[in-house]
Amino acid sequence: MAQNLGARQTNAGVDYISSFRKLTVFEEPGERVIALATAGNLATSQAVTSIVSERLGARKGEDSIYTSKTMFNVAQIVGRALRQVIDEHGEHVRESGGDPTATFILGGQIKDRAPRLFLIYAAGNFIEASAETPFLQIGENKYGKPILDRTISYDMPIERAVTASLVSFDSTMRSNLSVGPPIDLITILAGEQRVERHASIEENDAYFTELRKTYGDGIVSLFETLPDPDISNWPPGPSC
Amino acid sequence: MAQNLGARQTNAGVDYISSFRKLTVFEEPGERVIALATAGNLATSQAVTSIVSERLGARKGEDSIYTSKTMFNVAQIVGRALRQVIDEHGEHVRESGGDPTATFILGGQIKDRAPRLFLIYAAGNFIEASAETPFLQIGENKYGKPILDRTISYDMPIERAVTASLVSFDSTMRSNLSVGPPIDLITILAGEQRVERHASIEENDAYFTELRKTYGDGIVSLFETLPDPDISNWPPGPSC
């Protein structure tokens, strides 16, 4: 079973921790929502997620994402946890031929502050999305990047961004058969500090199936309209 | 200067060696045509190409691509040269933080045999294209693979294959700004054992510019026709 929900009564209300395979969400509705998606070494990913989750219990100290005043500070906490895990296990994993690295996408909002989105590298450092760089990717990212480069903009409607993301996943799945559903997807509304919707899209999902077919047929049709080069006007080979 | 042509009078006729940056062609028109494209460490690539070229002079011995009876044997020769170069320099390059590896695409035909296409890995081993796997890529290959997966087929006209390749390069150039023209492109006609056409496509090439615009506009139009998910029917987040 993929989904794992936890709730904790606190002074402020109820906290939620939701886990969907590679996606974990920390929610104190109305106050803060923090989503952490992961790619790479599974043991590293889970260890980092566990460290970040356990520190919630304390609810104080500089390394609690529930007392962090900024998303930037949350990114630092995740980065430090990631570096700690790789410092501890990395050499041993490499000795047995494995790759201990993992990367994270961290998104969310703390009340009265702007929503922010970070990509945290295996070294623990990170970059932030912006109006000019409105999306971030981790994992098997290259196959699906061209369609995002052509379609994603900072102020597009959320439905359109979801559609573009799913087309990007489709391209990735077609080019690397080891990538596949389910795709976990959440939407967060700016200013509400809570998860609005969550979808877990399976192989046979009706919408995704239609989208894949419409896009695939559309690309083939588009390709048919593209002009061909006039090869007969190219220079001949050197022996001619 | 990009192009470097050489010709050598032999008993059999005239041999041609043509070099276009990352592409080298060995031609004995009507008898054999062998094209070698390279990606990766430039010193390794050039050393391998030089070794293969110099051995032409001998025109005998098992490591001459001019006496090889099969393209498979030519692939073995290139693979051995690649391994030799990496054996000699690899460790030193790695010590200074570099990556000594290179990969090659080898295509061509020897008279009375089928045309063949190989991808030679840094380890010197190789795979061959087939009706089911009709294209091979080296270098920064992932961004441009989805469009090839959707459009390339084994028996398509050569003009269409060229068009698909250029769209693939366009996607790569958009997603990785360090990749750019010129694009060297040759066509070889099966059964003639010679280069039919060679084009070096520059940034401002009129056809390529039109192709990029037509495809880019087409993708945006296609995206506009794609159905959006009905997010309002997705399950709400755990806190709702």
Side-chain angles (χ1 to χ4, degrees):
Chain A
M1 178 49 200
Q3 192 169 347
N4 183 357
L5 298 178
R8 172 189 298 122
Q9 185 73 38
T10 67
N11 291 342
V14 178
D15 298 341
Y16 296 86
I17 303 177
S18 319
S19 293
F20 317 99
R21 288 161 287 248
K22 298 179 177 175
L23 177 65
T24 302
V25 183
F26 307 95
E27 249 185 315
E28 189 179 0
E31 294 297 321
R32 65 183 62 205
V33 59
I34 294 164
L36 199 55
T38 177
N41 184 287
L42 186 60
T44 300
S45 299
Q46 291 184 350
V48 171
T49 307
S50 293
I51 288 171
V52 172
S53 300
E54 281 172 10
R55 285 182 185 156
L56 294 180
R59 296 186 68 81
K60 54 185 158 187
E62 66 170 14
D63 266 8
S64 167
I65 64 172
Y66 265 99
T67 54
S68 296
K69 292 198 166 51
T70 64
M71 285 298 297
F72 182 85
N73 187 224
V74 174
Q76 290 178 309
I77 291 170
V78 176
R80 278 196 292 268
L82 178 53
R83 202 148 45 207
Q84 174 191 328
V85 170
I86 293 180
D87 282 350
E88 186 176 346
H89 300 288
E91 199 179 329
H92 306 289
V93 176
R94 286 194 188 92
E95 275 169 11
S96 53
D99 178 355
T101 63
T103 50
F104 289 85
I105 284 179
L106 168 72
Q109 188 169 18
I110 291 171
K111 192 180 177 185
D112 298 331
R113 293 181 173 271
R116 296 175 77 176
L117 186 67
F118 297 92
L119 191 165
I120 301 167
Y121 296 109
N125 57 342
F126 46 84
I127 57 170
E128 184 173 7
S130 65
E132 294 73 35
T133 309
F135 67 87
L136 297 172
Q137 299 173 283
I138 52 174
E140 179 69 281
N141 64 313
K142 290 190 175 183
Y143 299 123
K145 185 168 183 282
I147 185 66
L148 300 178
D149 282 328
R150 293 182 193 275
T151 57
I152 295 277
S153 61
Y154 188 70
D155 55 0
M156 72 198 303
I158 188 82
E159 288 83 1
R160 294 265 78 192
V162 170
T163 303
S165 304
L166 290 175
V167 173
S168 172
F169 269 100
D170 174 38
S171 293
T172 305
M173 287 158 51
R174 282 184 63 101
S175 288
N176 180 344
L177 299 179
S178 75
V179 177
I183 301 167
D184 284 301
L185 224 155
I186 58 168
T187 58
I188 295 173
L189 286 186
E192 300 196 8
Q193 290 81 243
R194 64 176 177 85
V195 173
E196 185 204 20
R197 302 286 174 183
H198 166 255
S200 181
I201 293 171
E202 304 283 345
E203 179 79 51
N204 58 358
D205 180 271
Y207 165 70
F208 190 42
T209 303
E210 182 197 355
L211 179 68
R212 299 184 77 176
K213 178 163 171 40
T214 308
Y215 182 74
D217 291 349
I219 288 285
V220 171
S221 298
L222 171 58
F223 182 63
E224 283 167 6
T225 70
L226 295 180
D228 280 339
D230 184 4
I231 289 187
S232 63
N233 268 337
W234 284 4
S239 59
C240 299
Chain B
M1 176 49 198
Q3 191 168 345
N4 184 355
L5 297 178
R8 172 188 297 124
Q9 184 73 39
T10 68
N11 290 343
V14 178
D15 298 341
Y16 296 86
I17 303 178
S18 319
S19 294
F20 317 100
R21 287 162 288 252
K22 297 178 177 176
L23 176 66
T24 303
V25 183
F26 306 95
E27 250 185 314
E28 188 178 1
E31 293 298 319
R32 64 183 62 206
V33 58
I34 295 165
L36 199 55
T38 177
N41 184 290
L42 186 60
T44 300
S45 299
Q46 291 184 351
V48 171
T49 306
S50 293
I51 288 171
V52 172
S53 300
E54 282 173 10
R55 285 185 185 153
L56 294 180
R59 296 186 69 83
K60 53 185 158 186
E62 66 171 15
D63 266 8
S64 166
I65 64 172
Y66 265 100
T67 53
S68 296
K69 292 200 165 49
T70 65
M71 286 298 296
F72 182 86
N73 187 226
V74 174
Q76 289 178 310
I77 290 170
V78 176
R80 277 197 293 267
L82 178 53
R83 202 147 46 207
Q84 175 192 328
V85 170
I86 293 180
D87 282 350
E88 186 176 346
H89 299 288
E91 199 180 329
H92 306 289
V93 176
R94 287 195 186 91
E95 274 168 13
S96 54
D99 178 355
T101 64
T103 50
F104 289 85
I105 284 180
L106 168 72
Q109 186 169 18
I110 291 171
K111 191 179 177 185
D112 298 331
R113 293 180 174 271
R116 297 175 77 176
L117 187 67
F118 297 93
L119 192 165
I120 301 167
Y121 296 108
N125 56 343
F126 46 84
I127 57 171
E128 185 173 5
S130 65
E132 294 73 36
T133 308
F135 66 87
L136 297 172
Q137 299 172 284
I138 52 175
E140 179 67 281
N141 64 314
K142 289 189 175 184
Y143 298 123
K145 185 167 183 284
I147 186 65
L148 299 178
D149 283 328
R150 294 181 193 275
T151 57
I152 295 277
S153 62
Y154 188 71
D155 55 359
M156 73 199 301
I158 190 81
E159 289 83 1
R160 294 265 79 193
V162 169
T163 303
S165 303
L166 291 175
V167 173
S168 172
F169 269 100
D170 174 38
S171 293
T172 305
M173 288 158 50
R174 281 184 62 102
S175 288
N176 180 345
L177 299 180
S178 75
V179 177
I183 301 169
D184 283 302
L185 224 155
I186 58 168
T187 58
I188 294 172
L189 285 185
E192 300 196 8
Q193 289 81 246
R194 63 177 177 85
V195 173
E196 185 204 20
R197 302 285 175 184
H198 166 255
S200 181
I201 294 171
E202 304 283 345
E203 179 78 50
N204 58 357
D205 180 271
Y207 165 71
F208 190 42
T209 303
E210 182 198 355
L211 179 67
R212 298 184 79 175
K213 179 163 171 36
T214 309
Y215 182 73
D217 291 349
I219 287 285
V220 171
S221 298
L222 170 59
F223 182 63
E224 283 168 7
T225 70
L226 295 180
D228 279 339
D230 185 3
I231 290 187
S232 63
N233 267 337
W234 285 3
S239 59
C240 300

